[in-house]
Amino acid sequence: MTITKAVIPVAGLGTRFLPVTKTMPKEMLPVVDKPAIEYVVEEAANAGLDDVLLVTGRSKRAVEDYFDVAPELERALKNKGDDERLASVREPVDLATLHFVRQGRPRGLGHAVLCGRQHVGDQHFAVLLGDDLIDERDQILPVMLAVAERTGGSVIALLEVPRDQIGLYGCAAVSAADPALAAGLEMTGEPLPQADVVRIDALVEKPAPEDAPSNLAIIGRYVLSPAVFDVLEHTEPGRGNEIQLTDALAELAQDPSQPGHGVYGVVFRGRRYDTGDKLDYLKAVVQLAAERDDLGPDFRDWLHGFVTGLK
Ligand code: G1P
């Protein structure tokens, strides 16, 4: 099995980021000098997922245009001999083969994924959520793809969070997976400790901390078996009156003996930035800018003085 397709839902209203998202898709917010969505498409492409379906909605034209050629701009840059900027505007166009489907009514993440059914067909695929940026040095998708290929099931990315934050996420009850499953898998160049691949026993969307079965939160990377589509077709609206992907995966996890039904988790211990929240977005921009070869040295000098002055 080789997994080549990724589905990226981008139809959300971006209410956490108002007012700027009144007219600008949240996916286009700049993280240093590239929109957040470009990092996500890059991550997919780097993992060999070069067929990317963006599930869009109204007022997301800017996202579509960003991944398209811009002839006038390219001509102007070419005439000026500005090869570096020319390459930067061409880069998103050549990252992957992009497809678009409109979600119409925003009925939740599960519904957005279901909108990809026709495009994906009867094969495993990845889902990447745009609010989560995974540092390119700490790739998790290759490990998840390998677990899906070995098991034929679905795989979710998990992150340990403080108990009081678990209500912001889907939450997983887990047990030990067959140790052979993790053998030979690597993350960030290090062999993966066996405990990092787990079996999912149950899932609950945004539980109250006192009801949460663990402090393992679902983060926005999934590798899904096509069996999820049949389940999503009958998944009733859940939390927030939305069709929840978590609920569909919980149903798959209930009956792992059926083909394509087992669900596994990979616990992520690398660097992840949440760009959907204002404070975390600011942290992401500062961290990524400070680490850039071009901007980093000057920015770090300035930042040091700025922070010293704050105290
Ligand atoms: C969605 C999922 C949730 C998951 C989260 C990760 O929630 O429903 O299970 O933990 O993404 O970012 P959202 O953040 O869209 O409310």
Side-chain angles (χ1 to χ4, degrees):
M1 184 206 312
T2 307
I3 303 168
T4 58
K5 293 188 178 180
V7 172
I8 306 182
V10 295
L13 294 175
T15 40
R16 282 198 288 168
F17 239 108
L18 283 168
V20 68
T21 45
K22 179 181 173 188
T23 55
M24 182 191 193
K26 68 171 174 175
E27 295 78 14
M28 292 304 294
L29 286 169
V31 178
V32 190
D33 53 3
K34 290 193 295 194
I37 185 71
E38 188 172 356
Y39 292 84
V40 180
V41 175
E42 264 170 14
E43 185 191 337
N46 285 339
L49 306 164
D50 54 10
D51 177 318
V52 175
L53 177 71
L54 296 181
V55 184
T56 71
R58 293 175 64 233
S59 50
K60 299 287 176 165
R61 275 283 298 279
V63 178
E64 298 189 24
D65 288 346
Y66 187 78
F67 289 99
D68 199 353
V69 285
E72 271 177 33
L73 177 61
E74 288 184 22
R75 211 174 307 123
L77 292 169
K78 204 170 183 177
N79 289 343
K80 276 201 218 160
D82 194 340
D83 294 339
E84 203 176 311
R85 290 199 175 90
L86 182 61
S88 76
V89 301
R90 282 186 176 160
E91 212 170 270
V93 184
D94 298 326
L95 274 177
T97 307
L98 286 197
H99 305 268
F100 300 91
V101 62
R102 296 270 287 235
Q103 191 181 2
R105 284 193 188 80
R107 293 170 60 204
L109 177 59
H111 176 245
V113 171
L114 189 53
C115 291
R117 180 170 202 167
Q118 206 176 2
H119 178 81
V120 169
D122 192 26
Q123 51 183 289
H124 279 68
F125 64 104
V127 173
L128 290 83
L129 304 187
D131 286 348
D132 285 308
L133 293 195
I134 304 286
D135 197 297
E136 63 179 349
R137 293 162 293 185
D138 298 337
Q139 301 238 353
I140 188 178
L141 267 179
V143 177
M144 299 175 69
L145 291 166
V147 173
E149 283 163 10
R150 286 178 186 197
T151 61
S154 297
V155 188
I156 59 179
L158 297 171
L159 181 76
E160 283 187 49
V161 300
R163 272 267 164 186
D164 61 348
Q165 285 175 27
I166 194 72
L168 299 170
Y169 301 93
C171 174
V174 306
S175 55
D178 179 354
L181 193 56
L185 295 177
E186 295 195 344
M187 190 148 58
T188 62
E190 300 290 326
L192 200 65
Q194 282 168 4
D196 277 354
V197 179
V198 292
R199 181 174 266 285
I200 304 297
D201 298 321
L203 292 167
V204 42
E205 178 69 5
K206 305 198 173 105
E210 58 274 22
D211 301 329
S214 75
N215 67 336
L216 288 170
I218 303 175
I219 53 170
R221 298 292 179 273
Y222 307 78
V223 177
L224 301 177
S225 143
V228 76
F229 291 128
D230 279 345
V231 176
L232 281 168
E233 294 279 6
H234 65 240
T235 302
E236 295 290 332
R239 193 161 173 105
N241 203 27
E242 293 189 339
I243 298 172
Q244 296 291 351
L245 182 59
T246 304
D247 293 346
L249 289 169
E251 186 176 325
L252 286 180
Q254 259 170 35
D255 194 0
S257 60
Q258 283 194 58
H261 271 227
V263 184
Y264 298 84
V266 175
V267 183
F268 181 65
R269 304 197 196 282
R271 287 156 282 197
R272 165 214 175 231
Y273 315 96
D274 178 357
T275 55
D277 170 86
K278 288 180 190 176
L279 184 60
D280 284 327
Y281 168 81
L282 290 173
K283 292 179 192 169
V285 174
V286 170
Q287 286 180 72
L288 289 169
E291 285 166 8
R292 283 263 296 248
D293 290 340
D294 52 350
L295 300 166
D298 285 350
F299 184 54
R300 285 197 301 270
D301 272 356
W302 173 83
L303 198 58
H304 198 262
F306 178 71
V307 170
T308 312
L310 285 179
K311 293 202 170 154

